[in-house]
């Protein structure tokens, strides 16, 4: 029988779902691993002496957006655990990849951003976006050794790196640790996401085997994508022989099938990396303690809801562990954690009870999805849950006007439904953590971000119509949230049609179809490519109707367009 909770319902197949989630790589993690100076794939002949330092340069990185890098999220995350958060004026992203996140955050706020990336093509792309947005982001093509040695950098309120820690050499990790120790202000926050145990334990032998095949001398002269295909084909043939490894870890067969379907750009940066490693939470805590930092909280807001991730017995066991670091490690075992997103702080400042409640009540939030489209079934790291509509529907109804509302205001409105501030907070943590909502930044940041967002979004929307557009960039900037808002390529083309004065539905659909068909592309519906022109036009008409009725009002409210 399904067991109800005040905030959610856990599906009765929770144990089986936990096993399935061990096999699952969340879609929002794809592309999270940023390019960096010493993220090696292989060293061919004497490549270690080459300027690339063994780093693959023949296959580009994805254009991912990562909301945890947004400083506007800090206040809610910290207040939820009773901590004060800094006012962020200066920030740094180490290893910014294609630069989409850093440029969205620079354009959408008053924060002065700095950053580096090793790859010249990616750094060039990032700097071009910074120039377009006019936000003043100082982005450099440099190794960690070069960038972190700069004496002209300011002290930072916020330093962030998404995935970097798991892909760079021990030497670079030491450089980064030293940089954080020297450059993070008192009260400043460090965001680090990284691969961790025990979730990676079963996969590590297969990953090592794939890399060994990738590095075989017989692959010399082949591109990275070709090498990856060959390595996966080799592993598939090995699995067909039914090795005891597969018998002991039967879910690895499904994992291999998933790998075969993933983008080669993603796989290259995810698995075929010489310095790839995992780090236990306790080891991370020791590293940052030596640099004067302590663990603040998770940057994945869904992690705050133990009732959504742990069984009653698991919650009871974790609660009995007095040491907070050991408790985090135990929790990682409970959920078979594979990837952690953590905030660390230099000099944590607890909020007094009155300040704690006031800070939470004042936090404003806004929807990122159309109210009727918010899924009531959500996946956490360990289970699939069904949100309790008696809790969520009234809260979403308050936010349905697409305007920012404070948690205190929401609690006051839904109080007649026997919902208090704590329940509102827990519901919003789930909605924000799953990408359905976002914290709202202060008026200073919102005012500063208006022009930069308009310029950056106009450029990105224009790129969606380009001959080389592959739909890689699927986020635009919002001065309301100080961060990114999802918008796929078709939606961006609808927006471009509006900006270019297309008036009627027929004109808009025809405008979009001409740009898609000119590149030899077709739409896909229910997994099937639509080959007939009329079928494409019909599907575009349906999508346009939904976009202008459901999505465009939301994008306008968020000042994306």
């Amino acid at each position: 029988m399904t067991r109800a909770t005040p905030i959610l319902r856990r599906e009765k197949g929770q144990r089986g779902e936990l096993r399935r989630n061990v096999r699952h790589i969340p879609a929002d993690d794809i592309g999270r691993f940023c390019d960096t100076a010493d993220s090696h794939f292989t060293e061919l002949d004497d490549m270690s002496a080459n300027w690339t330092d063994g780093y693959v340069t023949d296959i580009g990185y994805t254009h991912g957006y990562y909301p945890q890098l947004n400083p506007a999220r800090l206040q809610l995350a910290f207040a939820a655990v009773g901590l004060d958060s800094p006012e962020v004026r200066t920030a740094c992203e180490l290893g910014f990849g294609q630069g989409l996140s850093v440029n969205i955050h620079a354009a959408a706020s008053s924060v002065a951003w700095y950053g580096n990336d090793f790859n010249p093509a990616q750094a060039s792309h990032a700097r071009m976006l910074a120039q377009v947005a006019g936000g003043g982001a100082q982005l450099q093509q440099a190794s960690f050794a070069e960038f972190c040695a700069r004496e002209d950098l300011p002290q930072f309120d916020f330093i962030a790196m998404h995935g970097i820690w798991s892909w760079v050499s021990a030497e670079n990790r030491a450089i980064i640790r030293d940089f954080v120790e020297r450059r993070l202000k008192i009260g400043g926050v460090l965001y680090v996401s990284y691969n961790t145990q025990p979730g990676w334990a079963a996969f590590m032998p297969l990953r090592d085997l794939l890399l060994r095949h990738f590095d075989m001398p017989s692959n010399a002269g082949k591109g990275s994508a070709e090498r990856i295909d060959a390595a996966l084909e080799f592993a598939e043939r090995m699995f067909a022989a039914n090795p005891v490894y597969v018998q002991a870890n039967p879910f690895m067969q499904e994992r291999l099938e998933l790998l075969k379907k993933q983008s080669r750009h993603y796989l290259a940066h995810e698995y075929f990396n010489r310095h790839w490693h995992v780090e236990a939470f306790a080891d991370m805590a020791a590293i940052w303690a030596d640099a004067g930092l302590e663990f603040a909280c998770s940057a994945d807001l869904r992690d705050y809801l133990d009732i959504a991730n742990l069984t009653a017995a698991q919650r009871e066991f974790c609660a009995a562990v007095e040491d907070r670091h050991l408790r985090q490690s135990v929790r990682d075992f409970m959920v078979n954690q594979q990837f952690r997103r953590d905030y660390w702080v230099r000099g944590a400042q607890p909020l007094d009870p009155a300040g704690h409640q006031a800070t939470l009540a004042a936090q404003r939030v806004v929807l990122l999805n159309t109210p009727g489209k918010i899924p009531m079934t959500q996946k956490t790291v360990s289970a699939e849950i069904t949100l309790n509509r008696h809790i969520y529907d009234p809260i979403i109804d308050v936010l349905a006007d697409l305007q920012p509302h404070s948690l205190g205001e929401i609690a006051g409105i839904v109080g007649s439904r026997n919902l208090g501030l704590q329940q509102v907070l827990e519901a919003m943590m789930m909605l924000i953590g799953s990408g359905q909502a976002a914290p709202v930044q202060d008026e200073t940041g919102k005012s500063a971000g208006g022009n930069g967002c308009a310029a950056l979004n106009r450029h990105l929307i224009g790129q969606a119509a380009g001959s080389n557009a592959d739909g890689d960039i699927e986020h635009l900037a919002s001065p309301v949230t100080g961060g990114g808002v999802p918008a796929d390529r078709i939606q961006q083309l609808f927006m471009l049609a509006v900006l270019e004065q297309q008036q009627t539905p027929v004109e808009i659909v025809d405008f979009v179809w001409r740009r898609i068909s000119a590149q030899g592309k077709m739409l896909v519906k229910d997994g099937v490519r639509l080959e007939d022109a009329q079928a494409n036009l019909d599907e575009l008409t349906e999508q346009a109707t939904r976009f202008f009725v459901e999505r465009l009002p939301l994008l306008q409210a968020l000042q994306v367009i």
Side-chain angles (χ1 to χ4, degrees):
M1 180 177 296
T2 301
R3 176 167 54 85
T5 71
I7 297 298
L8 53 90
R9 297 185 180 91
R10 182 182 297 275
E11 298 302 292
K12 69 177 183 179
Q14 191 260 351
R15 291 296 184 187
E17 188 63 39
L18 190 150
R19 285 193 67 233
R20 287 191 289 276
N21 275 277
V22 172
R23 292 175 269 176
H24 175 67
I25 298 177
D28 62 359
D29 285 345
I30 293 175
R32 66 181 183 262
F33 305 101
C34 300
D35 294 350
T36 57
D38 283 342
S39 294
H40 296 195
F41 284 106
T42 184
E43 297 179 32
L44 300 179
D45 301 320
D46 293 325
M47 277 189 70
S48 60
N50 188 274
W51 72 272
T52 63
D53 199 16
Y55 185 83
V56 70
T57 57
D58 68 329
I59 187 166
Y61 190 58
T62 57
H63 296 72
Y65 171 74
Y66 311 106
Q68 295 82 10
L69 298 167
N70 184 358
R73 295 168 67 98
L74 290 179
Q75 180 172 292
L76 179 58
F78 274 53
V81 295
L83 296 177
D84 197 10
S85 58
E87 180 180 355
V88 177
R89 296 186 177 91
T90 55
C92 177
E93 182 177 348
L94 298 172
F96 51 65
Q98 296 284 1
L100 183 62
S101 294
V102 69
N103 276 294
I104 284 179
H105 297 143
S109 73
S110 59
V111 178
W113 277 89
Y114 295 74
N116 78 301
D117 195 86
F118 174 71
N119 186 295
Q122 292 171 176
S124 177
H125 178 262
R127 294 177 72 172
M128 178 272 293
L129 293 181
Q131 184 176 12
V132 166
Q138 302 295 309
L139 308 179
Q140 182 182 4
Q141 186 264 307
S143 69
F144 290 120
E146 294 169 323
F147 181 80
C148 294
R150 284 177 54 179
E151 294 296 333
D152 60 335
L153 294 174
Q155 296 296 108
F156 294 108
D157 301 298
F158 184 57
I159 296 176
M161 46 184 159
H162 195 72
I164 292 298
W165 193 260
S166 296
W167 312 114
V168 299
S169 66
E171 292 79 8
N172 273 318
R173 293 197 297 274
I175 289 170
I176 291 170
R177 195 213 69 89
D178 178 69
F179 176 79
V180 172
E181 183 175 16
R182 291 185 294 105
R183 290 292 177 182
L184 188 66
K185 292 180 182 178
I186 298 295
V189 175
L190 169 70
Y191 166 70
V192 186
S193 60
Y194 56 99
N195 289 338
T196 193
Q197 296 279 28
W200 275 103
F203 186 75
M204 290 170 65
L206 177 58
R207 179 263 168 192
D208 290 344
L209 184 72
L210 292 172
L211 181 61
R212 288 180 184 278
H213 191 280
F214 183 96
D215 280 344
M216 288 176 58
S218 59
N219 284 325
K222 297 179 181 178
S224 294
E226 188 178 0
R227 290 181 177 213
I228 290 170
D229 287 339
L232 292 174
E233 190 273 335
F234 175 81
E236 187 175 31
R237 287 190 287 110
M238 183 188 74
F239 275 32
N242 196 26
V244 175
Y245 167 78
V246 176
Q247 297 174 36
N249 303 280
F251 54 87
M252 293 310 302
Q253 182 70 58
E254 185 174 333
R255 174 64 68 87
L256 180 60
E257 291 301 316
L258 178 61
L259 294 181
K260 289 162 55 180
K261 298 175 183 178
Q262 299 289 1
S263 161
R264 297 309 182 248
H265 295 261
Y266 164 63
L267 292 179
H269 296 275
E270 166 74 13
Y271 299 112
F272 295 88
N273 178 323
R274 187 169 302 281
H275 292 301
W276 183 94
H277 72 288
V278 298
E279 194 101 50
F281 172 82
D283 293 332
M284 288 292 281
I287 290 168
W288 297 118
D290 286 344
L293 280 69
E294 59 185 297
F295 175 68
C297 53
S298 173
D300 186 339
L301 302 191
R302 292 167 296 185
D303 285 348
Y304 293 69
L305 306 176
D306 280 347
I307 200 168
N309 295 285
L310 306 175
T311 66
Q314 291 166 351
R315 295 196 299 274
E316 181 180 0
F317 188 91
C318 288
V321 179
E322 294 184 1
D323 184 273
R324 66 192 301 260
H325 289 165
L326 180 60
R327 190 184 313 124
Q328 287 292 317
S329 297
V330 169
R331 190 181 186 281
D332 285 347
F333 273 83
M334 294 298 185
V335 300
N336 199 40
Q337 191 71 264
Q338 177 176 309
F339 190 69
R340 288 190 63 107
R341 303 170 177 85
D342 292 336
Y343 289 133
W344 306 82
V345 62
R346 167 166 283 154
Q349 296 297 311
L351 294 165
D352 61 57
H356 184 202
Q357 291 298 303
T359 301
L360 288 175
Q363 174 66 61
R364 294 189 301 159
V365 295
V366 70
L367 291 182
L368 295 184
N369 199 357
T370 306
K373 297 296 183 180
I374 295 175
M376 288 294 109
T377 299
Q378 297 284 347
K379 283 188 176 181
T380 67
V381 69
S382 63
E384 184 174 87
I385 60 171
T386 299
L387 305 182
N388 188 335
R389 302 198 76 104
H390 294 294
I391 302 294
Y392 283 82
D393 282 351
I395 293 171
I396 292 171
D397 286 344
V398 176
L399 295 167
D401 63 359
L402 308 181
Q403 298 302 308
H405 294 274
S406 71
L407 299 186
E409 178 188 358
I410 297 171
I413 294 173
V414 302
S416 60
R417 307 288 290 269
N418 295 319
L419 303 177
L421 179 61
Q422 184 62 32
Q423 288 172 304
V424 171
L425 171 64
E426 291 177 3
M428 290 310 306
M429 297 293 264
M430 176 59 72
L431 292 175
I432 294 169
S434 60
Q436 309 303 314
V440 172
Q441 70 172 334
D442 61 31
E443 289 300 320
T444 299
K446 177 182 174 182
S447 177
N451 291 336
C453 286
L456 180 61
N457 291 342
R458 185 63 179 85
H459 171 78
L460 295 177
I461 291 169
Q463 289 291 101
S467 59
N468 295 321
D470 293 317
D472 288 333
I473 296 179
E474 296 195 334
H475 285 80
L476 299 173
S478 166
V480 176
T481 68
V485 177
D488 63 31
R489 187 187 175 212
I490 298 299
Q491 292 174 349
Q492 291 180 42
L493 287 173
F494 288 144
M495 285 185 264
L496 182 62
V498 172
L499 291 172
E500 298 201 0
Q501 307 301 315
Q502 305 301 304
Q503 301 292 330
T504 69
V506 172
E507 289 176 341
I508 290 169
V509 168
D510 183 62
F511 176 93
V512 174
W513 173 237
R514 288 200 309 271
R515 279 147 185 80
I516 294 174
S517 60
Q519 299 167 27
K521 299 182 182 297
M522 303 289 179
L523 298 180
V524 175
K525 183 176 182 179
D526 299 328
V528 178
R529 176 184 165 97
L530 303 177
E531 300 292 347
D532 179 68
Q534 188 58 51
N536 278 270
L537 288 169
D538 291 343
E539 175 61 18
L540 277 176
T541 300
E542 290 184 20
Q543 291 193 28
T545 300
R546 292 194 298 270
F547 174 77
F548 285 100
V549 172
E550 299 172 356
R551 191 67 182 167
L552 183 60
L554 177 66
L555 295 173
Q556 290 173 327
L558 294 169
Q559 299 180 25
V560 170
I561 184 174

